[in-house]
Amino acid sequence: MRGVIFDGKQTQVVDDLEIRDPGPGEVLVAIAAAGLCHSDLSVVDGTIPFPVPVVLGHEGAGVVEAVGAGVGHVAPGDHVSLSTLASCGACADCDRGRPTMCRKAIGMPKQPFSRSGNPLFQFASNSSFAERTVVKAVQAVKIPKEIPLTSAALIGCGVLTGVGAVLNRARVDRGDSVVVIGAGGIGLNVLQGARIAGATTIVAVDANPAKEAAARQFGATHFIDASAVDDTGAAVKELLPTGADHVFECVGNPALIRQAVDLLDRHGQAILLGMTGAKVEASFLPAAMFLDKSILGCRYGSSRPQRDIPLYASLYQQGRLLLDELVTATYPVEDFAKAVDDLHGGRVARGVLTF
């Protein structure tokens, strides 16, 4: 079968992958569509250390082909959106409703794939850049068949991360002010999460003026072109003189992390979503934090996928959450290199690979 692999030196699309059958508590899914996210490329450039060779992809949707013993919540033929959380459901963190913190799921990659008899690792317990993948049952979340799979694919990472950061981690409330630094795939979902939460002033900041239309479509009430102003912080302060209740940094740039902290109002919170290198440091003024300000990390939108994915699917069906509009372009998996180039060039909100 076809898939995208990274061997430590290069990525390539291959057609000779093999996948084992699902075991107890597992689900075999035929992938229909998979979103290309910066996290996949972060494996390739080393920002996210990961063992190789590995089958890439972590944002996908498809149709259940087979289930292992003990799986009852999905059946062959069901449409599912996949999460990356292979949580155990039994540890203290899972029991507290924090599956993103499951200690039995993080840093323990499996090898369900093989090629010419040699095993390959599974990225983020998912590997959606393959025609088929095997996931833990908890990762396969049933969705209505009316939702296009090219759109449903994006729920499993971009939507869970961005919207979840707003609703679950920051807990943005009605009337709050929100600044979103970076209007890419994650940033757009933060914007629409803020809109859904009832924020009244939602400021998008990006150095690419071409992103303004999409930012406003997803919920921004204001857009600041960082390439056209001398001082982005001052431009934000013109709109929010006392600072923002919430600032989301969606780029992973140390200078922008500092800016996120500097833009906070009293009792404000900076939420860090952009992925930096493992040893990159950022600075801030501790004295500024004594007005009850906070810096929050956020993994995967602090999500509970079996709860959140059906919620977001419902919001989509109600017309309150945008999915189709996130899909800028679709590519057959063989055009993976073009999809990467478009992502690097800032030409897409999300590019989606299809099988």
Side-chain angles (χ1 to χ4, degrees):
M1 66 180 185
R2 294 170 296 164
V4 181
I5 67 171
F6 174 59
D7 62 8
K9 296 181 179 179
Q10 63 177 352
T11 57
Q12 57 180 318
V13 180
V14 300
D15 60 6
D16 57 352
L17 281 179
E18 296 182 353
I19 184 84
R20 62 170 174 78
D21 293 332
E26 294 181 332
V27 178
L28 175 67
V29 178
I31 299 295
L36 176 60
C37 172
H38 279 288
S39 293
D40 298 299
L41 304 186
S42 293
V43 173
V44 176
D45 67 22
T47 301
I48 298 178
F50 206 88
V52 294
V54 58
V55 180
L56 297 174
H58 66 285
E59 184 182 67
V63 180
V64 175
E65 283 201 347
V67 300
V71 177
H73 74 291
V74 293
D78 285 344
H79 287 201
V80 292
S81 178
L82 301 182
S83 86
T84 68
L85 293 182
S87 49
C88 71
C91 68
D93 284 302
C94 285
D95 193 49
R96 292 172 183 150
R98 301 188 308 206
T100 57
M101 297 295 109
C102 177
R103 297 179 188 276
K104 295 185 178 180
I106 300 174
M108 299 181 183
K110 296 184 178 180
Q111 295 176 299
F113 299 95
S114 62
R115 186 179 181 219
S116 301
N118 299 311
L120 290 87
F121 286 100
Q122 184 175 39
F123 178 51
S125 303
N126 189 307
S127 289
S128 57
F129 291 172
E131 287 188 75
R132 292 173 182 81
T133 192
V134 168
V135 297
K136 290 185 66 173
V138 71
Q139 296 176 253
V141 184
K142 186 176 178 179
I143 57 174
K145 292 184 179 180
E146 295 77 22
I147 300 179
L149 289 172
T150 49
S151 298
L154 306 186
I155 299 177
C157 177
V159 176
L160 280 177
T161 299
V163 178
V166 174
L167 302 182
N168 300 328
R169 186 64 167 132
R171 298 186 181 275
V172 173
D173 201 358
R174 292 165 295 178
D176 283 355
S177 58
V178 172
V179 175
V180 181
I181 300 175
I186 298 300
L188 290 176
N189 280 296
V190 173
L191 289 168
Q192 71 171 332
R195 170 178 51 78
I196 291 168
T200 51
T201 302
I202 306 173
V203 183
V205 180
D206 200 284
N208 183 351
K211 293 184 178 181
E212 179 173 2
R216 291 187 179 275
Q217 180 183 25
F218 276 75
T221 59
H222 302 80
F223 182 87
I224 294 175
D225 176 6
S227 69
V229 296
D230 294 329
D231 186 339
T232 303
V236 173
K237 288 294 181 72
E238 287 184 12
L239 300 171
L240 298 168
T242 63
D245 296 313
H246 314 272
V247 181
F248 295 82
E249 200 282 341
C250 304
V251 180
N253 181 295
L256 297 179
I257 292 172
R258 168 61 183 269
Q259 184 177 78
V261 175
D262 290 343
L263 289 174
L264 295 177
D265 195 357
R266 298 179 180 187
H267 203 71
Q269 50 188 18
I271 301 90
L272 309 186
L273 298 180
M275 177 63 69
T276 66
K279 296 185 179 181
V280 171
E281 296 183 355
S283 64
F284 65 95
L285 298 176
M289 307 304 291
F290 285 95
L291 292 173
D292 284 358
K293 299 180 184 181
S294 304
I295 300 174
L296 304 180
C298 184
R299 181 173 189 264
Y300 203 46
S302 300
S303 298
R304 296 164 67 180
Q306 289 288 343
R307 177 200 64 176
D308 291 346
I309 290 177
L311 169 62
Y312 299 153
S314 176
L315 291 174
Y316 166 81
Q317 291 183 304
Q318 295 170 29
R320 297 174 61 193
L321 183 136
L322 306 181
L323 290 179
D324 304 337
E325 295 82 356
L326 282 169
V327 182
T328 310
T330 59
Y331 311 82
V333 67
E334 290 80 7
D335 287 346
F336 175 74
K338 184 179 187 316
V340 170
D341 185 63
D342 285 346
L343 178 60
H344 280 313
R347 292 183 286 274
V348 293
R350 253 321 186 253
V352 177
L353 303 177
T354 58
F355 291 89

